[in-house]
Amino acid sequence: MAYFDAASTEPLHPQAREALIAALDVGWADPARLYGPARRARMLLEQARTEVAEALGARPDEVSFTSSGTQAVHLGVLGALHGRRRVGRRLVTSAVEHSSVLHAAGVHERDGGSVETVGVGLTGAVDPAAFREAVLAEGTALACLQSANHEVGTVQPIAEAAAACAEAGVPLLVDAAQTAGRMPLPGGWSVLAASAHKWGGPAGVGVLVVRKGTRWRSPLPEDERERRRVPGFENVPAIVASAAALRAMAAESAGESARLSALVDRIRTEVPRLVPDVEVIGDPVARAPHIVTFSCLYVEGEALLTELDKAGFAVSSGSSCTASTLRPSHVLEAMGVLTHGNVRVSLPRGASSADVDRFLAVLPDMVRRIREDAGIKS
């Protein structure tokens, strides 16, 4: 099986596996206690915090560990809004944010707040001028913008958004799930959320970073753990493994990102050449190095994914229609691009050129057969 779904989850990094196994033996105790094994667990936890902070350009005391990237986003969004409730009840987001941001925004609306959604262009990027105008509006408490889109890979103008937020005195929350460990993070943000399994750490560890001076108040009942930001017992072995994976991915990122980006360029070029009636989606240049998405006209995404699975390729679809809703991806809809017959290829660390060549070799005949079964001849 050629695994091409790293945007969903990156395979566990070898250094994370080693760190996890070692930490299971020595980091199992409660880090809040005072006896020997607990002090050892606390030391491992704080060392991991320091390593993650360094990789993300933050201070260790700004970093908290959560149970997932989704929880980090929820706490980041709702905590910042709660902390700035006296300033205003207005939240600004882009139309292509991850569902975790949109769900938090929905909670905010049901609680009496308002949400302004800034649209995107055909590449999936927000217009910096439109984002600035939205942020400068009176009563804005928080702005949210992802570092890169999880479905199409387009990088967002974080530096320009941060400058607009600084001008308005509004904190910026950045969802860095798709770029942490892979690309440098622009500065200027106030709150950052990330997910360890996206960079080769184990599932079940998220990262919430709240800059010093940012008004933030937990929307959950208070707990003494994690700077009173995140309730519950810390999973020290998984956190140690996550830090090891982030450190390793960041060290490898320059060479590996360039290699994966070249493979993505090959897919972006060859798919429309080999397959008729295909739209390659997202910015061809300002993009995450490992993600490429394309849509095939007259093809159901589920059917194509099933055929690719039979041929030994694990990919996903941005269309993600379900039988109950029949609703395509909100990202593709917001971009105004073809929403059906969608395939997202996201290359993990170590993805081979041979597997990409094999993918390009089998794809044209698959699309042709699916179209013929539907009564359409290419």
Side-chain angles (χ1 to χ4, degrees):
M1 174 67 72
Y3 181 76
F4 286 174
D5 196 23
S8 291
T9 189
E10 175 79 15
L12 193 66
H13 195 286
Q15 291 193 28
R17 185 185 302 275
E18 291 178 15
L20 179 62
I21 292 171
L24 285 170
D25 289 333
V26 297
W28 51 268
D30 184 349
R33 303 306 174 196
L34 298 177
Y35 41 80
R39 293 197 305 272
R40 190 177 303 118
R42 167 60 64 179
M43 180 187 70
L44 290 171
L45 176 61
E46 294 310 320
Q47 178 60 34
R49 195 186 313 277
T50 299
E51 291 173 0
V52 169
E54 182 178 352
L56 299 179
R59 292 169 31 161
D61 60 352
E62 296 172 334
V63 174
S64 298
F65 295 108
T66 68
S67 63
S68 66
T70 294
Q71 188 191 41
V73 167
H74 289 170
L75 288 173
V77 172
L78 298 176
L81 289 168
H82 194 28
R84 287 175 52 82
R85 197 180 182 99
R86 293 182 181 178
V87 175
R89 304 296 314 282
R90 192 166 171 278
L91 170 65
V92 173
T93 74
S94 84
V96 295
E97 295 301 306
H98 189 268
S99 59
S100 58
V101 174
L102 303 184
H103 292 158
V107 170
H108 177 60
E109 281 188 304
R110 289 192 292 274
D111 191 38
S114 64
V115 178
E116 177 165 349
T117 303
V118 181
V120 298
L122 276 174
T123 65
V126 299
D127 174 28
F131 197 83
R132 175 179 178 274
E133 183 180 354
V135 167
L136 287 173
E138 186 177 352
T140 302
L142 177 69
C144 299
L145 188 62
Q146 61 196 184
S147 57
N149 186 261
H150 50 291
E151 289 188 24
V152 302
T154 297
V155 170
Q156 297 292 352
I158 296 296
E160 293 92 332
C165 287
E167 179 184 352
V170 171
L172 174 66
L173 182 147
V174 171
D175 173 10
Q178 290 300 332
T179 59
R182 298 181 185 274
M183 301 174 68
L185 293 171
W189 48 267
S190 300
V191 182
L192 182 138
S195 183
H197 74 93
K198 304 288 189 183
W199 67 61
V205 177
V207 176
L208 172 65
V209 187
V210 181
R211 292 284 197 199
K212 286 294 180 184
T214 301
R215 297 180 66 178
W216 186 94
R217 185 176 176 186
S218 177
L220 301 178
E222 191 170 274
D223 191 292
E224 289 74 24
R225 306 273 176 173
E226 291 301 295
R227 276 76 175 161
R228 300 181 182 271
R229 293 185 191 135
V230 187
F233 194 103
E234 299 95 340
N235 186 345
V236 174
I239 289 170
V240 169
S242 299
L246 181 58
R247 187 174 64 245
M249 285 286 281
E252 300 164 358
S253 66
E256 184 65 356
S257 291
R259 192 185 70 84
L260 294 180
S261 187
L263 292 177
V264 164
D265 280 338
R266 177 164 166 71
I267 296 171
R268 291 186 66 94
T269 301
E270 290 298 302
V271 167
R273 187 181 71 82
L274 296 168
V275 182
D277 299 314
V278 164
E279 182 179 19
V280 181
I281 300 167
D283 196 295
V285 178
R287 59 172 177 79
H290 60 305
I291 300 174
V292 54
T293 296
F294 56 88
S295 294
C296 305
L297 197 61
Y298 314 122
V299 171
E300 286 296 330
E302 262 187 51
L304 185 51
L305 263 59
T306 299
E307 291 303 311
L308 285 167
D309 182 39
K310 291 177 184 177
F313 294 96
V315 300
S316 65
S317 174
S319 53
S320 298
C321 289
T322 65
S324 59
T325 65
L326 296 178
R327 183 172 176 80
S329 153
H330 72 278
V331 171
L332 303 182
E333 279 192 326
M335 293 170 64
V337 297
L338 188 63
T339 59
H340 285 81
N342 180 264
V343 174
R344 181 187 69 182
V345 174
S346 50
L347 303 179
R349 168 186 170 275
S352 73
S353 177
D355 281 339
V356 169
D357 289 343
R358 187 165 66 89
F359 174 81
L360 293 170
V362 303
L363 181 68
D365 190 56
M366 281 183 188
V367 173
R368 179 187 58 76
R369 283 189 282 108
I370 293 170
R371 286 172 173 167
E372 287 182 354
D373 288 345
I376 298 163
K377 290 191 175 182
S378 298

